[in-house]
Amino acid sequence: MKKLLLIIALVFTTQFSKAQELESLLLAADDASLLAENYMRPAMNGLMYSMNNGWYTTAKTHKKFGFDITISANASFVPSKDEMFDFIASEYQYLSLPNGETSLPTIMSDNDSETLVDVSIPNGNNTFNVGSFEMPGGITDDLPANAIGAPMVQVGVGIPFKTDVKLRLVPKVSFDDDVEASLIGVGLQHDLMQYFGPLDKLPLNVSILAAFTKMDVTYSIDDDSISDDVVVTNGQGEFKLNTWTVQALASLDFKIVTLYGGVGYNNGSSSFKMKGDYNLTYDVEDNNGNVIGTVSETISNPMNLDFDANGIRGTLGARLNIGFFKIFADYTIQEYNTASAGIAFSFR
């Protein structure tokens, strides 16, 4: 889990630092946020869908003070339609593609080609070229599958009224003195069979689940993170993610095998903010490429990205019961279909 949080903290600056002149991207103001949102969206959507998985392996709740420790891995598969995004020139005030591309690879594309992007600043009736950068391509050639993974460890405890409380927790941790990350998730699963009299003696179990996850990552951005031509004051990257899910669960619980499933609704939102003041020094060129001056400018809080993912979901899975040791796997149909697998130690 700590590795996941560190990856999230670094992925934004790492990908865009491939541009040799990242300061040019910062000059693009709102255009930079729009371009980065389009590029990163499938990774953020996949993460949100993954975080809403792995909350249960049965609809049956624990007896009072029974508990389980569950270790799972969730992988949300990026649909092919989200491997590329349309570059609509009219939506960008400062950015243009000199080679005329109309679509670009997202971070979750197998097309790792970089794309040249020009940055121009309008001034009255004139437009001045202030630089260019290479937009990074996709990264999935380096992945075993085009999917976003989320490993998870959680603890479930039975409390009165045939209800389980589930907890996911990573206390605030620091990496390399400039990254801080934390995660908390809470779920409640309540048995419904208790309200149907003798039916609760059947191997069939039915329950409802509501769960919420919150993740925060902050990291420092200094001059070395960007370029020799940029002076950073109070630079900070801030990533936040919130997801919740509500599901109706059912399972057939036998001694050796459990068959389980659920239907429900997912919701997720995440944001990335690049805060601080960034003093840039850059050359201004006319339309013929001639340098006509040098400008120093301070850009404050240059990036503000927002993502959301929501929709209905349906899950089917199976669990092998070897005493208190469990092995499980399931598959969820949703916008980003998600596979989950793992082990659990369950008592009472």
Side-chain angles (χ1 to χ4, degrees):
M1 177 55 65
K2 290 182 180 180
K3 184 177 289 187
L4 170 67
L5 297 177
L6 181 58
I7 290 171
I8 291 168
L10 299 178
V11 67
F12 290 95
T13 52
T14 298
Q15 281 305 105
F16 283 99
S17 67
K18 291 181 179 178
Q20 292 183 357
E21 293 191 51
L22 183 57
E23 65 271 21
S24 298
L25 179 61
L26 298 181
L27 278 172
D30 291 342
D31 283 5
S33 293
L34 177 59
L35 188 67
E37 279 183 5
N38 288 331
Y39 177 72
M40 294 298 302
R41 181 169 287 112
M44 294 299 99
N45 287 355
L47 180 61
M48 287 184 279
Y49 281 112
S50 287
M51 296 294 281
N52 268 331
N53 256 48
W55 279 106
Y56 62 92
T57 63
T58 177
K60 185 177 181 179
T61 55
H62 287 290
K63 296 177 181 178
K64 190 190 305 185
F65 304 127
F67 68 94
D68 69 85
I69 301 171
T70 301
I71 304 169
S72 64
N74 310 299
S76 292
F77 299 96
V78 177
S80 57
K81 66 180 180 64
D82 287 349
E83 293 184 15
M84 304 289 291
F85 71 92
D86 293 332
F87 184 91
I88 302 173
S90 61
E91 295 181 350
Y92 297 87
Q93 183 179 1
Y94 306 106
L95 303 182
S96 61
L97 305 183
N99 296 322
E101 295 92 342
T102 58
S103 62
L104 300 178
T106 68
I107 189 173
M108 298 307 297
S109 172
D110 59 4
N111 180 353
D112 60 0
S113 300
E114 296 182 339
T115 304
L116 182 65
V117 181
D118 283 345
V119 183
S120 301
I121 303 297
N123 185 0
N125 295 325
N126 298 315
T127 299
F128 297 106
N129 184 10
V130 297
S132 62
F133 63 91
E134 294 286 346
M135 183 72 183
I139 64 169
T140 58
D141 273 351
D142 299 325
L143 301 177
N146 192 359
I148 299 297
M152 197 63 61
V153 179
Q154 72 182 42
V155 176
V157 179
I159 61 175
F161 309 111
K162 293 192 175 182
T163 299
D164 284 357
V165 176
K166 302 170 184 284
L167 178 66
R168 299 171 171 178
L169 179 64
V170 177
K172 183 174 287 188
V173 292
S174 298
F175 309 92
D176 300 327
D177 297 326
D178 58 2
V179 180
E180 290 187 347
S182 63
L183 180 146
I184 185 170
V186 178
L188 288 176
Q189 183 176 332
H190 182 67
D191 173 59
L192 297 180
M193 293 300 291
Q194 60 184 309
Y195 304 114
F196 296 100
L199 292 181
D200 65 359
K201 304 301 181 183
L202 297 174
L204 173 66
N205 287 281
V206 178
S207 61
I208 55 173
L209 169 77
F212 173 82
T213 303
K214 175 181 174 63
M215 180 165 57
D216 294 303
V217 180
T218 60
Y219 61 97
S220 301
I221 301 175
D222 55 25
D223 301 353
D224 294 335
S225 304
I226 299 184
S227 166
D228 293 338
D229 297 324
V230 181
V231 177
V232 182
T233 304
N234 299 322
Q236 184 181 70
E238 179 181 276
F239 174 79
K240 294 182 179 294
L241 179 145
N242 296 290
T243 64
W244 57 263
T245 184
V246 177
Q247 299 178 54
L249 315 180
S251 64
L252 291 170
D253 294 273
F254 303 104
K255 184 175 182 180
I256 301 298
V257 175
T258 295
L259 303 176
Y260 62 92
V263 293
Y265 186 81
N266 282 335
N267 185 277
S269 62
S270 61
S271 65
F272 173 77
K273 300 181 187 300
M274 192 172 181
K275 296 182 176 181
D277 297 321
Y278 300 79
N279 184 264
L280 318 176
T281 301
Y282 56 93
D283 293 331
V284 177
E285 300 177 354
D286 61 21
N287 293 331
N288 297 318
N290 300 314
V291 176
I292 59 176
T294 300
V295 175
S296 180
E297 182 177 356
T298 297
I299 307 295
S300 298
N301 304 325
M303 281 195 182
N304 186 6
L305 317 184
D306 292 297
F307 309 91
D308 60 80
N310 56 76
I312 59 174
R313 54 171 291 154
T315 299
L316 287 175
R319 188 181 76 179
L320 179 64
N321 306 315
I322 309 172
F324 64 82
F325 181 66
K326 320 292 183 181
I327 304 172
F328 64 89
D330 59 55
Y331 193 80
T332 299
I333 302 296
Q334 52 191 356
E335 183 181 7
Y336 281 45
N337 294 338
T338 304
S340 299
I343 61 173
F345 305 90
S346 183
F347 303 89
R348 303 184 70 221

